[in-house]
Amino acid sequence: MSPERWQQIERLYFAALERAPEERAAFLAEACAGDESLHHEVVSFIAADDRIGSFLEAPADAVATAPLAIAPPPSMIGQTLGHYQIVSLLGKGGMGEVYLAQDARLGRKIALKLLPPHFTQDAQRVRRFEQEGRAASVLNHPNIITIYDIGQVERSYYIATEYIEGQTLRQQMADGRMKLSEVLEVARQVASALAAAHTVGIVHRDIKPENVMVRPDGLVKVLDFGLAKLRPPKPAAAMDSEAPTMEAPERLTEPGVVMGTWGYMSPEQVRGQAADHRSDIFSFGAILYELLSGRRAFNGESIADLTSAILKEEPPGLSETNQQVSPQLEKIVRRCLEKRTERRFQSASDLGFAIESLAINSGSSGNPGVSQPGPTVESTRRLHWPLFLGLGFALLAVAAVAGMLISSNLRQAPPPTYQRLTFNRGTIWKARFAPDGQTVLYSARWNGSPLDVFSVRAGKTESRSLKLENTDLLAISASNELAVLRNRQHLAWFISRGTLARMPVDSGAARDLLEDVQEADWSPDGTKLAVVRWVNGRTRLEYPIGKVLYETAGYLSHPRISPKGDLVAFMDHQVQRDNRGWVAVVDLTGKKTVLSGEWSGEEGLAWSAAGDEVWFTASKAGEADALYAVTLSGRERLVVRMPVRLMLHDISRDGRVLLASYHAPQDIISQASGETKERDLSWLDSAEPSDLSPDGKTGLFVYAGEGAGTNYAVYLRQTDGSPAVRLGDGYPQQLSPDGKWALTVLYTPSQLVLLPTGAGEARQLERGPIEQYSVGARWFPDGKRIVFQGREPGHDWRYYIQSVEGGLPRPITPEGTTRTRRGIFISPDGRWVIASDTQHQRSFYPVEGGAPQPISHLESEDEIIGWSSDGRSLYLARTQEMPIRVYRFDPALGRKELQKEVMPADPAGIHWPNYILLTPDGKGYVYSVRRTLSDLYLVEGLK
């Protein structure tokens, strides 16, 4: 951009500043009439510059920290946006206002960023706003703000993020210069965040003190990815290389358009050139300089002066304002602020390593990076021999002390030990320490036998059965009383539902307490129970029984009462039968606090022995489940990771841990119509069938294993055994009648997508008022419409119909109706759908309206899996026990006929959910069985 253009922009900026706030938009439109490019550049400049300020009331020469607002936005305080209740304004920025809000669905505080109303007409700003959500959502790092949701309600665009209590670096600097040790700790964490972003190809482009938040516990969070740019990540070698790469630079902005914040932009950003990850490093250096010196690295009375300083001048030496800064630290800052990109640090990882090395190497002074005064040359000569003699004795003393410390540490903190407690082949469901601390009780299914409860002593290799068939262990009280689940029905993962009962350990006499219970835990004194149970289509956490602390349309798992009895920790899952979610606690008044970020899968939770942390096992996409700990302030840490998946069961009062390793393969077996031999179609480690074409030749599969990603993966495979083809991300539902499309559900963000089975582009269906989709969507026989299960803000689940050619969905069933266990089923004539109400009654619902017709003569174990080709009968399956049985059911007569039995040769470790799909003629089929093979360990020494 030419100097003349800069002067023109600068003149318009100051001219707008001199006018009343309500006149500025009209002035800029008139002044830039006939030159849309100029108008765009002025507005972009206004939105980018943190020095411009919100001059709604301020005089023209004022300098603030929020962007220019052309017109005051209407107050949002007290309004509801979707399921977010807006509480107060937290701040303003060039890309929107940020509010404190309450998430009514999950019961937690969140930060809600809204695009200003007068920006919603600007497609570029809307695109950039949405890009912020997408950019930050692909990141999973403790020093980067967590994105919960991104969406639109009418013409309001929003991004929901975690709410962070603390101060920005700007606020901390206003309170006085930070200690050098604090500065380096902040720098280390920011460098770690940038390294994570750059690794996946994200350049922030707006690193400044306002976008770095420090929590009271010292955890740093990088905020505001409003100007971030997604680009293909460079190989690690290229990121770490000192030499410039020869590839053509990617144009990250339109030519001449400036993106960033004045005073923190790199020279290439000021010039409107391509900005890669090294631009973030320059901005980082500007922040570090300001933290250490108490003044900005680049200043100027006008934009032209500031531009010249960034492009041509070097900031004054840090030693001029802070004599405590060491030459090594100043060298790090200078290298960040190099004008030429190839002379800067070439990766944030290298920068972070330099900072950590400085802190470690200077740690003995107690103040890393501090320059210490040294002796004069003359005094050095006089003290030459005494100095070396003293140094020699000092080194010997240090070596002796270090040796004692190392030896002491080795004695005090030996590596963890793992003692295997189980040796059978099958699945462990729950395991708990008995009050004596030496006995372990656990529930398991061994070698294909029914579920039972066993006991084993530490140091022993044989377990004893308590002979409690089809009984799941939930908890053990301080008085040796068991809470168990009887007549259980497995739902998904490690979640079951049944009758809560209590019984002494040494007696088989159980007393039933409550129906529809999923899990329970005893209070520390053994007098009360916390329970998770199913009530009217929602999952409730009650403590004590009858007092509701929290409920959700998703599901809750692993409730554990704190050692003090004042909190209940649990896992909060947003979608029923999908174990993604968060770790949370709720107090006795019902105040819920989310402690962790979202995990793609989580199973297993317990309080630490001291009660100051919640330990849990969870995984991110592409990882195996590992053991983590989180404090009540939300600080997470990794405890242990292994090459196998882990599940936490319990922690004793002395800190010993019950930890299970497990492997969960999925077997897929098929037999086509007219064939007499089954074929193994198993794919990767955890694929399961979602649909089978009417001719039985094509199967649709979902893959949810370690390599699947956050939204899982959709695969298409022919039943002749040819290799599977990945179609894209999502949870597949059904192939279209013509076989050209796969109807798919995305979870994050929630969306219905059509994936082409051949050439073509994926298509997203309009969401309209739908806040969340569930697994459950089907094609109508005409191939022009779909039916799905969804939920609007503040409402319960129901069925909707939508055209695939466009248009909004419309509801066809009452609120509270959900899919049957195996999904949604539409009659061959398209007139009826099958749904289940809050009382689990399955009925035929007319598509065009009218009263439902209950389906009689069904038992709870009967799973509807499809319609026969004539539309008169249903196919039912019983998959919870082996062999899997399929029946043909006539609903008019209530008559069931056994159609087929299937069973794999090896029954070990098989547990529900298992699946079977049948062709409409009943001749072709595909089924899958899930195995979970567990080993229980007693672990000592984990910290």
Side-chain angles (χ1 to χ4, degrees), residues 48 128 131 194 198 202-208 211 224-231 250-254 257-261 264-266 269 273-277 279-281 283:
R128 194 191 307 167
Q131 178 174 284
L194 292 178
H198 296 165
I202 292 177
V203 183
H204 191 286
R205 299 198 297 175
D206 199 19
I207 297 296
K208 60 184 177 181
N211 285 342
D224 199 350
F225 282 74
L227 298 184
K229 183 69 177 181
L230 289 161
R231 61 181 294 163
E250 179 188 4
R251 178 63 63 182
L252 300 184
T253 61
E254 294 298 321
V257 175
V258 177
M259 292 288 186
T261 296
Y264 301 95
M265 286 191 290
S266 65
Q269 285 177 288
Q273 297 174 340
D276 63 13
H277 61 281
S279 291
D280 284 349
I281 291 174
S283 302

Side-chain angles (χ1 to χ4, degrees), residues 10 371 533 639 712:
E10 190 176 353
S371 176
R533 66 180 183 130
V639 178
Y712 310 139

Side-chain angles (χ1 to χ4, degrees), residues 198-225:
H198 296 165
T199 298
V200 297
I202 292 177
V203 183
H204 191 286
R205 299 198 297 175
D206 199 19
I207 297 296
K208 60 184 177 181
E210 288 78 7
N211 285 342
V212 179
M213 181 80 80
V214 183
R215 295 193 328 192
D217 62 0
L219 184 67
V220 173
K221 292 279 188 176
V222 176
L223 319 175
D224 199 350
F225 282 74

